[in-house]
Amino acid sequence: MKAIVMTAPGGPEVLKLQDLPNPVLNQDTDILVRVKAAGINPVDTKMRAKPTVYPAPLPPVLGCDGAGVVEAVGKAVKDFKPGDQVFYCQAPHHDRLGNYAQYALVDQRLVAKKPKRLSFAEAAAAPLVLITAWEALHDRVDIKSWHKLLVHAGAGGVGHVAIQLARIAGAEVCATVGSADKAEFARSCGANRTINYKDENFVTAVLDWTGGQGVDIAFDTVGGKTLAETFSAVRYYGDVVTLLAPGPEMDWNVPRVRNQRVSFELMLIPVFAGLSEAMTHQGEILRRGAELFEAGELRVHVDKTFPLERAAEAHALVASGKTMGKVVLNVD
């Protein structure tokens, strides 16, 4: 099969098109998928730069998100059959290659039927960002209709889905963005208020939006200085969920004196740690998300697509921070 192989740690230029053996079923719960499209996420660029941090096989084939057609199934697989169109999120790990390839071997617990309304490219863009936003808002903080939510990077892959999930739950949403175009996009996803962080202080703007109290929940997808400042925009006894690990320089005094609860979200952990129930839960999130896609209540935005052989160019675009929504590789 054709696959994009990471030939060494480094920049996008280390991604090369090569021929690899087709994967074969080796567990009764395996599904062999002919990949039609593969989503690109910022975590892919991190795996490329520091592969030793992640338990990926050699030669490394990146890509967590995929959509395609079932080619074969293991003996224990009951809900899928050859010919089914599916989408899934499975990080490359141990003996499993990623999805920048014509075929992928996927655990059945992580797979769901592809929504008919979505193209393969759209379906491949959805899983990681949907699961991340869902776990952050529903599993970590149990978002309610009376909540006010701050989403950082509201025009990003996770951000634009988080806005929609929050609005589906009935919450009000304020989103930070970096340009007028991104503000318009975030509003099209349902944001009640947008803040261009380049033009105004987001903490001041959030406090103004909430009558000085702060939001009930902040969802941080940026980290660093942004996370540190976010605590001041959240009410007493409020919640902060972050995707990033705080550095040793983090000052925890504000969340401490405001009695805030801080949660972490890293949706790759169930696969990396082999957590069976959590993997099953992520497959259920995809199935519930598929219902929202089919009903037209949820959408995923594909900013740009690239053919498989141009994966390096796609990685460079994702790293630029100039995209809205997701970037996808058309594999087949």
Side-chain angles (χ1 to χ4, degrees), residues 177-263:
V177 295
S179 70
D181 287 345
K182 290 184 175 181
E184 182 178 355
F185 174 60
R187 287 192 294 270
S188 76
C189 293
N192 302 89
R193 169 81 159 88
T194 57
I195 302 167
N196 188 329
Y197 63 87
K198 296 179 180 178
D199 296 336
E200 56 182 325
N201 181 285
F202 78 83
V203 175
T204 302
V206 167
L207 292 176
D208 180 67
W209 184 58
T210 58
Q213 290 190 340
V215 292
D216 302 290
I217 304 164
F219 184 22
D220 167 50
T221 67
V222 179
K225 183 174 180 285
T226 297
L227 173 60
E229 295 176 350
T230 294
F231 298 118
S232 296
V234 178
R235 67 170 173 83
Y236 286 88
Y237 293 94
D239 280 279
V240 177
V241 184
T242 182
L243 305 185
L244 289 305
E249 73 285 353
M250 177 64 68
D251 182 356
W252 294 101
N253 187 58
V254 173
R256 178 176 179 270
V257 300
R258 295 175 76 88
N259 277 346
Q260 292 169 347
R261 180 171 54 181
V262 181
S263 303

Side-chain angles (χ1 to χ4, degrees), residues 30 85 104 117 176 320:
D30 281 344
Q85 296 183 358
R117 288 178 68 120
T176 61
S320 74

Side-chain angles (χ1 to χ4, degrees), residues 70-129:
V70 174
E71 188 87 359
V73 299
K75 296 178 182 178
V77 176
K78 303 300 182 183
D79 297 328
F80 302 93
K81 64 183 184 303
D84 285 344
Q85 296 183 358
V86 296
F87 71 141
Y88 55 89
C89 182
Q90 178 180 266
H93 69 291
H94 304 303
D95 63 335
R96 299 295 168 99
L97 299 175
N99 297 296
Y100 298 179
Q102 290 179 311
Y103 291 92
L105 202 60
V106 189
D107 188 297
Q108 67 168 346
R109 291 169 291 187
L110 302 170
V111 180
K113 298 286 180 64
K114 181 183 79 67
K116 294 179 181 178
R117 288 178 68 120
L118 300 188
S119 67
F120 281 110
E122 291 169 329
L128 185 144
V129 296

Side-chain angles (χ1 to χ4, degrees), residues 81 86 114 121 143 148 150 166 168 172 174 191 217 241 281 325:
K81 64 183 184 303
V86 296
K114 181 183 79 67
I143 192 166
K148 286 192 173 183
L150 168 64
I168 290 169
E172 293 184 67
C174 178
I217 304 164
V241 184
H281 177 57

